[in-house]
PDB file of all heavy atoms in Angstrom:
ATOM      1  N   GLN A 239      22.741-147.864  52.955  1.00  0.00           N
ATOM      2  CA  GLN A 239      23.019-147.161  51.690  1.00  0.00           C
ATOM      3  C   GLN A 239      23.562-148.131  50.650  1.00  0.00           C
ATOM      4  O   GLN A 239      23.152-148.111  49.488  1.00  0.00           O
ATOM      5  CB  GLN A 239      24.001-146.004  51.929  1.00  0.00           C
ATOM      6  CG  GLN A 239      23.388-144.871  52.708  1.00  0.00           C
ATOM      7  CD  GLN A 239      24.390-144.037  53.456  1.00  0.00           C
ATOM      8  OE1 GLN A 239      25.576-144.344  53.540  1.00  0.00           O
ATOM      9  NE2 GLN A 239      23.916-142.961  54.066  1.00  0.00           N
ATOM     10  N   ALA A 240      24.469-148.989  51.072  1.00  0.00           N
ATOM     11  CA  ALA A 240      25.046-149.975  50.138  1.00  0.00           C
ATOM     12  C   ALA A 240      23.989-150.951  49.675  1.00  0.00           C
ATOM     13  O   ALA A 240      23.884-151.246  48.462  1.00  0.00           O
ATOM     14  CB  ALA A 240      26.204-150.715  50.804  1.00  0.00           C
ATOM     15  N   LEU A 241      23.172-151.459  50.572  1.00  0.00           N
ATOM     16  CA  LEU A 241      22.147-152.435  50.211  1.00  0.00           C
ATOM     17  C   LEU A 241      21.073-151.842  49.305  1.00  0.00           C
ATOM     18  O   LEU A 241      20.532-152.536  48.435  1.00  0.00           O
ATOM     19  CB  LEU A 241      21.477-153.001  51.478  1.00  0.00           C
ATOM     20  CG  LEU A 241      22.349-153.899  52.354  1.00  0.00           C
ATOM     21  CD1 LEU A 241      21.637-154.204  53.669  1.00  0.00           C
ATOM     22  CD2 LEU A 241      22.713-155.173  51.623  1.00  0.00           C
ATOM     23  N   LEU A 242      20.760-150.566  49.502  1.00  0.00           N
ATOM     24  CA  LEU A 242      19.721-149.915  48.718  1.00  0.00           C
ATOM     25  C   LEU A 242      20.262-149.165  47.495  1.00  0.00           C
ATOM     26  O   LEU A 242      19.492-148.572  46.750  1.00  0.00           O
ATOM     27  CB  LEU A 242      18.936-148.948  49.610  1.00  0.00           C
ATOM     28  CG  LEU A 242      18.207-149.592  50.796  1.00  0.00           C
ATOM     29  CD1 LEU A 242      17.641-148.518  51.715  1.00  0.00           C
ATOM     30  CD2 LEU A 242      17.101-150.516  50.294  1.00  0.00           C
ATOM     31  N   GLY A 243      21.566-149.214  47.305  1.00  0.00           N
ATOM     32  CA  GLY A 243      22.165-148.516  46.169  1.00  0.00           C
ATOM     33  C   GLY A 243      22.061-147.006  46.257  1.00  0.00           C
ATOM     34  O   GLY A 243      21.954-146.327  45.239  1.00  0.00           O
ATOM     35  N   LEU A 244      22.125-146.486  47.468  1.00  0.00           N
ATOM     36  CA  LEU A 244      22.032-145.051  47.682  1.00  0.00           C
ATOM     37  C   LEU A 244      23.410-144.438  47.833  1.00  0.00           C
ATOM     38  O   LEU A 244      24.351-145.122  48.236  1.00  0.00           O
ATOM     39  CB  LEU A 244      21.214-144.761  48.950  1.00  0.00           C
ATOM     40  CG  LEU A 244      19.782-145.284  48.947  1.00  0.00           C
ATOM     41  CD1 LEU A 244      19.148-145.081  50.319  1.00  0.00           C
ATOM     42  CD2 LEU A 244      18.974-144.610  47.862  1.00  0.00           C
ATOM     43  N   PRO A 245      23.557-143.153  47.517  1.00  0.00           N
ATOM     44  CA  PRO A 245      24.851-142.497  47.706  1.00  0.00           C
ATOM     45  C   PRO A 245      25.224-142.424  49.180  1.00  0.00           C
ATOM     46  O   PRO A 245      24.358-142.385  50.057  1.00  0.00           O
ATOM     47  CB  PRO A 245      24.630-141.091  47.129  1.00  0.00           C
ATOM     48  CG  PRO A 245      23.163-140.874  47.149  1.00  0.00           C
ATOM     49  CD  PRO A 245      22.526-142.240  47.022  1.00  0.00           C
ATOM     50  N   THR A 246      26.507-142.424  49.447  1.00  0.00           N
ATOM     51  CA  THR A 246      27.014-142.341  50.808  1.00  0.00           C
ATOM     52  C   THR A 246      27.632-140.977  51.039  1.00  0.00           C
ATOM     53  O   THR A 246      28.636-140.630  50.418  1.00  0.00           O
ATOM     54  CB  THR A 246      28.087-143.440  51.059  1.00  0.00           C
ATOM     55  OG1 THR A 246      27.512-144.714  50.808  1.00  0.00           O
ATOM     56  CG2 THR A 246      28.593-143.378  52.489  1.00  0.00           C
ATOM     57  N   PRO A 247      27.031-140.185  51.937  1.00  0.00           N
ATOM     58  CA  PRO A 247      27.621-138.882  52.249  1.00  0.00           C
ATOM     59  C   PRO A 247      28.868-139.050  53.102  1.00  0.00           C
ATOM     60  O   PRO A 247      29.152-140.134  53.611  1.00  0.00           O
ATOM     61  CB  PRO A 247      26.508-138.174  53.042  1.00  0.00           C
ATOM     62  CG  PRO A 247      25.664-139.253  53.579  1.00  0.00           C
ATOM     63  CD  PRO A 247      25.794-140.428  52.673  1.00  0.00           C
TER      64      PRO A 247
END
Side-chain angles (χ1 to χ4, degrees):
Q239 290 155 353
L241 292 171
L242 299 172
L244 300 174
T246 302

